[in-house]
Amino acid sequence: FLRIMREQPSVVLGVAHTVVKRMSPFVRQIDFALDWMEVEAGRAVYRQGDKSDCTYIVLNGRLRSVLRKDDGKKHLTGEYGRGDLIGVVEALTHQPRATTVHAVRDSELAKLPEGALISIKRKFPQVVTRLIHLLGEKILGSLQQGGHPLGLHSSSSKWDAGNPASNLSTVAIMPVSEEVPLTAFTLELKHALSAVGPALLLTSDNIKQRLGSAALDSIHEYRLTSWLGQQEDIHRIVLYQADSTLTPWTQRCIRQADCILIVGLGDQEPTVGELERMLENTAVRAQKQLILLHKEDGPLPSRTVEWLNMRSWCSAHLHIHCPRRVFSKRSLPKLVEMYERVFQKAPDRHSDFSRLARVLTGNAIALVLGGGGARGCSQVGIIRALIEAGIPVDMIGGTSIGAFMSALYAEERSYNQMRIKARQWAMVMNSVFKTILDLTYPITSMFSGAAFNNSINNIFKDKQIEDLWIPYFTITTDITASAMRVHRDGSLWRYVRASMSLSGYMPPLCDPKDGHLLMDGGYINNLPADVARSMGAKVVIAIDVGSRDETDLTNYGDCLSGWWLLWKRWNPLAEKVKVLNMAEIQTRLAYVCCVRQLEMVKNSDYCEYIRPPIDRYGTLDFGKFDEICEVGYQHGKTVFNVWCRSGVLDKMLKDRQEICNNFCDNVTCPTTSFTDLAEIVSRIEPVKAPLADDESDYQTEYEEEVLDNQKDDYLDFISSQVEEDSDSDEEMQLRKRRNVPSGEGQASSTGEP
C-alpha cells in the first residue's frame, strides 16, 4: 500500500475521505485540536513556573521531570515514555508548572490544548471519572513512595504505578573496549527478553541489509527515523548494538536510547573507553548503567568501586555471571548459528541475563527481610522454599537481622552456603562466654560492640556492597540527622552491623563517610518494602519477623503504685496483672513510627506480605536456629504452593505491558495507534442529558473558533463531494440510455463523427 501511495499520491485523498467519514464529529474535532510536535534531546517541553495551558501525550521518545528546590538543588521526580500523560494535574487545576520537563532523547508529543480538554470534560463526563481514578492512583502511589504526582503513567496492573523503568522502549549497548564479547552479550540479552515480550536487535549490518547500504546517510534521515519508530511500536523493547568506534550508527544508537548499557569485563583493569568519554563530553541525558561480565569459573566480583568512581554519570550497575558460550571464540556466522539453537529453548528465569531483562522492562522482583532478632532465622528457610518454587530475586535488602540474612544471600546466591554461614554466626551469638567478655561500663551501651563486630566481620570480610551479585540495600536510623538512611554502597559488614545496633545493647556505629551515628533500622523502617519499590521493583515479597506487642493489658485506672505491683508479683494467690515496665514502654515508643509504616506496607498493592508462625520464639533464641529455620521453610513452602496454584506467581512473572494490553482489550482502548483509538472513541454514545456545570453554559473562544472553522471546512468538503457524486450519477444514467460502455463513450466524445 505504501508503494501505491508513493506512485499514486492521489490515492491518499480517497483513503483520507473514507477514514474521515467513519469518524465521529467529536474525533475530528479532537484531531483538529491536537498538535503534533517534535522535541530534540535536551530541549525543555516546559519549565517550572510556566503557565499551564495544555497537556502533553508522549507518542514516542522519553521525557524527564525535574523539580528545582528553593536552595537551587534539582530533584528528579520521574521519567515518562510512550503513552504517558504529562502536565495534566496543572492543566486541570490551572496552576503554574510545578516542574521542568525536558526530552531525554528525540521525542514526538501530542499537545492537547486546554480548550479541547474542557470540551472533552463537558461532552463526556465519564472521561473526568477516569481521570479522577488515575489521579487518585498516582497520588496514593506517590505518597507511599515519596514521588511526585504530576504525570500519569499508562498502567493497569496493581504493581505498575510509578515504576520508572516500566516504559523503557529502547536500550543502546556499547562496549568499554574491543575485548568485550558484545555480540554474544546482546544475543544473550535478546534471548532473556524473549520471556518478557518481542524484542528486536539492531546492528549497523542488519540495518544496511534491511534498508540498504545508504540507510545511515543524512539524506535518508526521515525514512530511518520513521522505520525505527515503527519497530518500537511493534516490539516490547528494541536493542541497539553500537559499533566499537564512534560511527554514524553509534551516534544513532545514542540518540535513540532510553537507557544506555556500558558493558565491561569484570576481571580486567578498571578503565574508561573512548565511547564513554564521548558520552561524558556531549552530556547525553539518557540514564546509563554499568554492566560487568564475569566468567563461570572466574574470580568473584571485586574493585567495582573503582569502575564506578570513574563513571559518576552511571546511575546503577549489575554483575552478570555469563555462561561459557558468551566468551567462546567463534566467528560471527558460527556465533549466530549457535544462538539460533539457543533461542529454541526457554530462557532460565534465574540467570543474571533474565534478571537484567526484568530490570530493564520494569518487572523486577524484590525480596525484603524485616528485623526481629533470632526470629529472622526463619528467613533462611523461606528463601529455600522461594528457590524451590522457582521465584527469582532481582534485588534484596532488609533491616536488622534481615539486613544480615539478605546480605548473605546477595553474596552467595546459594541456599546451602547461606545456611552454613548463618548457622555459624547464630552459634557465636548464642555463646554466653563471649557475651560476658564484651560487657563494659554502661554509659552508652551495655556492650562495647567489639565481639559483635568481629562476628559479622568474620562472615563478610572486606566485601563491599557494590561487589555483591544481587543489588542490595540496608536501612539504618541516623540519630545525628534524625532520618532514615538507605545504604547501597560502602563497607558491607559495617552497615549490616549498624542496622543491627539495638539501643542500650550496642553503641551507635560512626558512619565512615560522614561520621553520623547510625542505629538499628528497625526504629524507623523495620520492613522496607517501600524502599525496594522506589528502587524500581514491580512486586516486593516482604517477610515480617518482628515481635508482636501484647495488647491485652490490665486497666489499672488513673494512677499506678509500684508497691501494689510488687505485691501482686510476690503473692502467689493474687491475680496476675499485665503491666509494661519502663524498658518495655521505651521500646514501644521507639517503634511507634515503624508500626505505622508497617501497616502502610501491608495494605499496599505492590507488596506480597508473609509472616511465618514464629511468635513463640524470643529475640535472643539463636540456639534454636535449626528449629526456627524449619518453621520458615514449611510456612514458605505452603504459601508458595498456594501462589503457584492460584496463578499469583504467573502474574508476578508476566510483563506489565502484557497485563496492560489485556486490561485495555477488556475495559478501554488498546495502546496500538491513534487510528485504533479514534475508531473506538467514535463508537462512544453521546450523553443525552449531561449535568449542567459552571463550564457548560458557555463556549470558550478556542472552542467557538474550532467548531466554526471545522464546520465550514467540512460542509465545503461534503458539498463538493456531493456535486462530484451527482455528476457521476448523471453520467451513468446517460450511458445506460445510450447503452454504450464507458470506455467507448469517452472515445466517441473525443473522436470525430
Side-chain angles (χ1 to χ4, degrees), residues 13 17 103 150 158 254 257 389 405 415 444 485 576 601 663:
L13 297 178
H17 174 56
L150 295 177
K158 68 175 184 176
I254 296 171
M405 296 299 181
Y415 163 74
T444 300
R485 294 279 294 274
K576 299 299 181 182
V601 166
F663 177 86

Side-chain angles (χ1 to χ4, degrees), residues 10 48 77 114 224 370 443-444 504 506 550 669 704 713 736:
S10 59
Q48 188 171 337
T77 60
E114 183 181 9
L224 178 60
I443 296 179
T444 300
M506 294 291 164
E550 189 174 7
C669 54
E704 293 175 352
D713 296 341
K736 288 180 180 179

Side-chain angles (χ1 to χ4, degrees), residues 467-481:
D467 294 330
L468 297 176
W469 284 113
I470 303 176
Y472 168 84
F473 70 91
T474 182
I475 303 296
T476 62
T477 302
D478 186 341
I479 61 175
T480 301

Side-chain angles (χ1 to χ4, degrees), residues 47-104:
R47 298 189 180 277
Q48 188 171 337
D50 289 352
K51 181 182 178 181
S52 303
D53 57 356
C54 61
T55 298
Y56 296 92
I57 305 169
V58 183
L59 303 177
N60 190 11
R62 193 163 187 83
L63 305 180
R64 179 175 295 157
S65 177
V66 177
L67 174 67
R68 182 183 291 274
K69 298 185 177 180
D70 295 336
D71 56 3
K73 294 183 179 180
K74 296 180 179 179
H75 174 65
L76 175 64
T77 60
E79 290 194 2
Y80 307 97
R82 180 190 304 273
D84 289 340
L85 202 59
I86 311 299
V88 63
V89 178
E90 300 103 318
L92 290 174
T93 57
H94 305 286
Q95 297 293 323
R97 300 293 187 188
T99 62
T100 297
V101 174
H102 58 258
V104 174

Side-chain angles (χ1 to χ4, degrees), residues 38-266:
E38 294 184 358
V39 184
E40 295 181 0
R43 293 294 182 91
V45 179
Y46 57 77
R47 298 189 180 277
Q48 188 171 337
D50 289 352
K51 181 182 178 181
S52 303
D53 57 356
C54 61
T55 298
Y56 296 92
I57 305 169
V58 183
L59 303 177
N60 190 11
R62 193 163 187 83
L63 305 180
R64 179 175 295 157
S65 177
V66 177
L67 174 67
R68 182 183 291 274
K69 298 185 177 180
D70 295 336
D71 56 3
K73 294 183 179 180
K74 296 180 179 179
H75 174 65
L76 175 64
T77 60
E79 290 194 2
Y80 307 97
R82 180 190 304 273
D84 289 340
L85 202 59
I86 311 299
V88 63
V89 178
E90 300 103 318
L92 290 174
T93 57
H94 305 286
Q95 297 293 323
R97 300 293 187 188
T99 62
T100 297
V101 174
H102 58 258
V104 174
R105 65 180 177 99
D106 295 348
S107 304
E108 296 179 4
L109 310 177
K111 180 181 177 182
L112 184 64
E114 183 181 9
L117 191 60
I118 293 175
S119 176
I120 294 173
K121 288 194 304 180
R122 190 180 65 234
K123 292 184 178 181
F124 298 100
Q126 61 267 39
V127 174
V128 180
T129 303
R130 179 62 179 162
L131 277 175
I132 293 174
H133 177 71
L134 290 174
L135 285 172
E137 284 185 346
K138 180 65 179 176
I139 292 172
L140 288 176
S142 300
L143 290 175
Q144 291 177 357
Q145 303 171 51
H148 208 274
L150 295 177
L152 290 181
H153 293 277
S154 55
S155 61
S156 300
S157 170
K158 68 175 184 176
W159 293 321
D160 297 336
N163 193 343
S166 61
N167 52 8
L168 289 179
S169 298
T170 58
V171 176
I173 305 170
M174 57 177 54
V176 172
S177 62
E178 294 185 357
E179 290 79 14
V180 175
L182 195 65
T183 301
F185 171 83
T186 52
L187 289 171
E188 284 283 349
L189 181 56
K190 180 185 176 183
H191 182 225
L193 284 166
S194 65
V196 179
L200 176 66
L201 173 59
L202 295 178
T203 65
S204 57
D205 292 336
N206 62 27
I207 282 290
K208 292 176 182 178
Q209 290 175 0
R210 295 187 184 207
L211 302 180
S213 58
L216 299 178
D217 294 347
S218 59
I219 193 174
H220 299 295
E221 170 78 16
Y222 178 78
R223 180 189 174 203
L224 178 60
T225 302
S226 176
W227 186 84
L228 294 177
Q230 292 174 9
Q231 303 314 305
E232 293 182 30
D233 287 336
I234 61 180
H235 292 91
R236 172 63 177 88
I237 196 165
V238 180
L239 301 178
Y240 290 83
Q241 180 182 330
D243 298 329
S244 58
T245 57
L246 188 59
T247 61
W249 171 247
T250 300
Q251 294 175 339
R252 166 63 67 173
C253 292
I254 296 171
R255 284 179 54 188
Q256 292 290 131
D258 289 339
C259 174
I260 300 175
L261 300 184
I262 302 169
V263 185
L265 297 177

Side-chain angles (χ1 to χ4, degrees), residues 686-690:
V687 181
K688 296 182 179 179

Side-chain angles (χ1 to χ4, degrees), residues 550-592:
E550 189 174 7
T551 57
D552 186 20
L553 302 175
T554 301
N555 185 351
Y556 51 79
D558 298 330
C559 58
L560 179 63
S561 170
W563 302 110
W564 176 72
L565 285 177
L566 188 62
W567 166 252
K568 287 287 187 180
R569 291 179 181 177
W570 283 359
N571 184 2
L573 301 178
E575 182 183 358
K576 299 299 181 182
V577 294
K578 296 180 181 179
V579 178
L580 300 177
N581 58 37
M582 287 188 290
E584 291 171 336
I585 292 174
Q586 292 299 320
T587 300
R588 291 202 180 195
L589 285 173
Y591 286 101
V592 164

